[in-house]
Amino acid sequence: MDQTFQDQEALADIITQVKDVDEQLFGVLLEIIRKEKVYDYIRYLLDNGIQKHLEEQILQQRENFKQAYNEMKLYDFRKNIQQITDALKKIKDHKFNKKDYSNEENQESIKDLIKRIRYNKKIIEFLYFLVQLTSLDNTLIQCGSNSLHILVQMKVDMTNKNFENIKMQNTSLVGANFFRCNLSGSEFNNVNISGMNLNGALLLNCKWNNLRIHELNQLKGHGGFVRSVCFSLDGNTLASGSYDNSIRLWDIKTGQQKAKLDGHTNDINSVCFSPDGIKLASSSLDKFIRLWDVKTRKKMAKLIGHTNFVNSVCFSPDGNTLASGSQDQSIRLWDVKTGQQKFKLDGHTSRVLSVCFSRDGNTLASGSSDKSIRLWDVKTGQQKAQIDGHTSGVLSVCFSPDGNTLASGSENKSICLWDVKTRQQKAKLGGHYQPVTSVCFSPDGNTLASGSEDNSIRLWDVKKGLQNAKLDGDFHNVFQVCFSPDGHTLASCSIDRSIHLWEVKTVQQKAQLGGHDEPVTSVCFSPDGNTLSSGSSDKSIRLWDVKTGQQKAQFDGHSDRIWSVCFSPDGNTLASCSKDYSIRLWDVKTGQQKSKLDGHSKYVNSVCFSPDGNTLASGSDDQSIRLWDVKTGQQQSKLDGHANTVYSVCFSPDGNTLASGSWDKSIPKLDGHDEPVTSVCFSLDGNTLASGSWDKSIRLWDLKIGQEIKSLDKHNKDVLMQWKISLKNNSPLSEDISIYTTKLLISQKAIFQAQGALILKGEFINKSGIDLKKLLKQKGSCFLESLQQN
């Protein structure tokens, strides 16, 4: 660690050499180097004759630069060139140009570096310069890749930038915002692009290979909670059982569903492949166990015997015996060939939640709600031992590959490691803050994975008893974790109906903005566009810096979830309304509450300031709209007319008209939606009103005639317009197109976006060989080949 810190200090010293360089010089140098087709630019810059030539070229271009730059003295110019050249020479030989600085082991040193350079615009331009140099010099690719990673970590505004032909490798660009950037001709290799914003980007002839992206780590298809997952022995197929009563088989390489097995009449609790991969066992709340032929997808047998829900099934290592644990407090051993029951194991005094065979097949472990773990002799069906220690039910048990250690996860939020021979506790792993629903050893026995209702998966070093990593994804209540046979992949399933796949060696925690703890229900920009306000079910209002995505302030006061927030026209006051029936006005500068408006008798769903800022309108579940005097906080009037909940209110630009949307499916005088109208908004000229509804449609209304505006395939026209502009200018989309795509998404987790991205030819392949073009298309990208064919 000390060595890394010292190296990082040296890197900071190198980079800060350019802290006084005129940042415009970087752009000029790039232009000249490209024009002159210079390959050994360091030697080029050191040549005195070349320096004089550069000075002449820069002076010829003086009209393009500031007066201060035109008056730069020869000494200052040569000093700047020398500083840049020295920095390039040193950085080229530094480990910054050899190793991946986005690795977790380097994150602390990266943070230290960022603290030193964060506010220096000249250094930021130098990092951009290093990124751009990768398009000209293959010897600086890692250096440029690390530079771009740092820029992403610093949340520098990179929108609308030109990154043509850059080459990136071995780095993480998680959460990078490339909105409307030109990435044409770029080459990415082994780059993590999770959560990247490619909205409106230009992606012509790109070569992106060996990509890492969490977006593909989800297998979606189930219509209910996914309760259990299991890999086939060859690691090519994953089975999943769900509360939608179905079992699904997935192709791990493509992420596609291979088969859907129907037969159970209730929720699936557990699935397990036989060691030879030919059979699959499943258990259900319908009290039955079914055996399936994996190749033909047909039912082989139905095992009847349990008198209540069957919670867990597990094949013996030789595949001849199947164990099952049930709500009826019993464990049963079945002959797989005949389908007959061999033994019924009684002893637990409550439901049996988990069963697991030892690797030699001689011992079966079981965990129960009676807080005990029991070990059974498989040959005789007799109990060998009882292990007590947990203070709550044992939800999951798993033997280590060598059979010497047993792991157990419990409702008391802990994981215990037990010595199988002595029955003594070897270690207790604490970290989860909700029940531990699943534990699983890696094939080499060195790592233990655990899943919990706290929405996290954790990886533990078995020998040291320490947590190695915490994996957070966009899931809830992790039900089960399972290693692939080669140990390279971890599968998890959860209440969010999806299955997540993790690359064990390289997976990193997703970038987060420390923010709301519950869903965000409302957002609103300040009048100057620099601040975004968000209201949440966690009862707080937060202010975000739009450029950086960082939280600026948090307002607490409401006693229940917040439904809507709105800035006053001058940006000094923020109004919020809540499920607590109240409206509150906040001073944006001080963060203090200015006043509390009471009057509504039910939830307040929407608030909106009049253009002059003197009146606030509110809509409520009490079916009324109320107008308030902002200065006094007194109610001015109550507007009745809706026959149900009022969801949204909005003033026209001239302040003479107020629009409202309601559960009664109407906007006053405008009927057309088939479901509740949840949002309304005026155009800037006040002639058009937009409305959004639960019927999944957005409608535009001509207010002069009171009729809906019928648009003819507007989306296709927009795409064609984007295409023409992009090909004409060979640059990112023009400003007027940006209204169709998200520029900055403020969220708990980075979300991959590619709406309106323009793609022509190129490659987009992940580490498993999956073509990401399908994903890009799903995200709203436009493939120009298709338009050309049409």
Side-chain angles (χ1 to χ4, degrees), residues 348-417:
H348 283 294
T349 57
S350 188
R351 54 184 177 155
V352 181
L353 300 173
S354 180
V355 289
C356 181
F357 279 97
S358 61
R359 193 161 187 176
D360 60 13
N362 295 327
T363 304
L364 182 78
S366 60
S368 166
S369 287
D370 64 12
K371 308 176 187 178
S372 75
I373 300 165
R374 303 190 186 223
L375 302 181
W376 309 83
D377 188 303
V378 174
K379 292 182 179 179
T380 65
Q382 298 300 305
Q383 182 175 308
K384 297 167 65 175
Q386 178 175 330
I387 302 174
D388 296 308
H390 283 292
T391 57
S392 296
V394 181
L395 301 178
S396 180
V397 289
C398 183
F399 278 101
S400 61
D402 61 12
N404 296 326
T405 304
L406 183 73
S408 58
S410 169
E411 288 179 330
N412 67 4
K413 311 169 189 177
S414 69
I415 302 162
C416 290
L417 300 181

Side-chain angles (χ1 to χ4, degrees), residues 717-730 733 758 784 787:
K717 292 179 181 179
D718 291 340
V719 170
L720 285 170
M721 181 168 62
Q722 292 175 4
W723 180 38
K724 290 176 182 178
I725 292 172
S726 298
L727 294 184
K728 180 179 179 181
N729 299 336
N730 194 28
L733 307 183
L758 297 178
L784 302 184
L787 287 180

